[in-house]
Amino acid sequence: MLFSAFNTCQNLASVVLEEDGLGSFGFYTLAALYFSLAFAAFLSSALMEKIGLYKCLVIGSFFHFTFVLVNLLPALHKDYPGYQSWLVSLTFIKSMLIVSAVMNGFGAGILWCAFGNYISECATEATKGYFNGLFWFFFMGSQTTGSLIGAFLLGEGFKTTYLYVILASIAIIAVFSFLFVRKPLPHKKSDAETKSDVETDITTPAKITEVN
């Protein structure tokens, strides 16, 4: 659900923002997002150790939601030109787009690290391929569902504002769903895993303590 909203928002960013009167600002927004993600990737593992995997899932998904929500502002600017407020001023919109993009990039860094660790907790050596395949099935499927939502709404002549309201609603539901993620039940190790652990113990050099 989260990536159905985010991927659609990201895919439409450069085109929709240009139509909303922001020119090529969508490209700068995406550049800020992925620069932030690259930087966050270096810190994500340490941060996850500090605050925990499950908090990373919630925080990372919430930052994705904020990016989708902020993209509602330029849509309001375009669809309701008579609405006068600082919320729809181009200066405020550009500032919030950059800020939310940086937050989203940071959130993506910790979210992807948390995803990998959670899948590892759920899977055994025998089932890790299945769980990773299942994850990527739903992740890539989100491109399909999100694109269909966008194609239907914009193709039927709905305002861009309605599209982003729906995407933001989907994203916030996804955020709340992460609050109910629980630690997987411990699984019994297979014979192959037990044998691997024994071999590791045998081949690991003993720790030598120096006695003065």
Side-chain angles (χ1 to χ4, degrees):
M1 291 178 66
L2 179 67
F3 287 100
S4 291
F6 168 72
N7 286 336
T8 305
C9 184
Q10 176 186 239
N11 293 341
L12 293 172
S14 57
V15 175
V16 171
L17 290 181
E18 184 174 3
E19 292 177 352
D20 291 347
L22 293 171
S24 59
F25 198 75
F27 293 103
Y28 293 107
T29 300
L30 293 178
L33 191 159
Y34 282 97
F35 178 81
S36 174
L37 194 160
F39 178 75
F42 288 103
L43 307 174
S44 57
S45 181
L47 184 60
M48 191 175 67
E49 289 290 330
K50 184 75 173 178
I51 68 174
L53 185 156
Y54 300 97
K55 288 182 181 178
C56 282
L57 289 172
V58 175
I59 294 170
S61 60
F62 180 77
F63 284 176
H64 279 70
F65 160 71
T66 60
F67 179 74
V68 177
L69 184 65
V70 167
N71 274 269
L72 181 61
L73 297 178
L76 289 170
H77 176 81
K78 175 197 172 187
D79 293 340
Y80 302 96
Y83 181 62
Q84 300 296 323
S85 171
W86 57 271
L87 284 172
V88 291
S89 66
L90 290 181
T91 301
F92 180 74
I93 290 173
K94 288 181 178 180
S95 301
M96 290 306 298
L97 284 171
I98 292 296
V99 170
S100 66
V102 171
M103 290 174 61
N104 192 164
F106 180 79
I110 62 175
L111 189 62
W112 280 103
C113 185
F115 279 155
N117 277 267
Y118 188 71
I119 291 172
S120 296
E121 285 188 1
C122 292
T124 65
E125 190 66 26
T127 60
K128 63 181 180 181
Y130 167 77
F131 276 101
N132 277 285
L134 188 65
F135 170 81
W136 283 102
F137 168 78
F138 283 107
F139 177 75
M140 300 310 295
S142 69
Q143 287 277 12
T144 303
T145 55
S147 296
L148 289 175
I149 291 171
F152 173 77
L153 292 175
L154 298 180
E156 291 296 316
F158 285 92
K159 292 182 178 180
T160 312
T161 301
Y162 296 152
L163 171 63
Y164 283 111
V165 167
I166 291 172
L167 294 179
S169 300
I170 293 172
I172 194 62
I173 292 171
V175 173
F176 278 108
S177 72
F178 280 116
L179 294 172
F180 299 97
V181 172
R182 292 294 178 262
K183 188 175 180 65
L185 296 174
H187 57 82
K188 184 179 180 180
K189 289 187 177 182
S190 65
D191 293 339
E193 288 178 298
T194 304
K195 182 179 178 182
S196 176
D197 290 345
V198 171
E199 290 175 350
T200 301
D201 290 340
I202 293 173
T203 56
T204 302
K207 187 175 181 180
I208 299 174
T209 305
E210 202 174 278
V211 180
N212 293 328

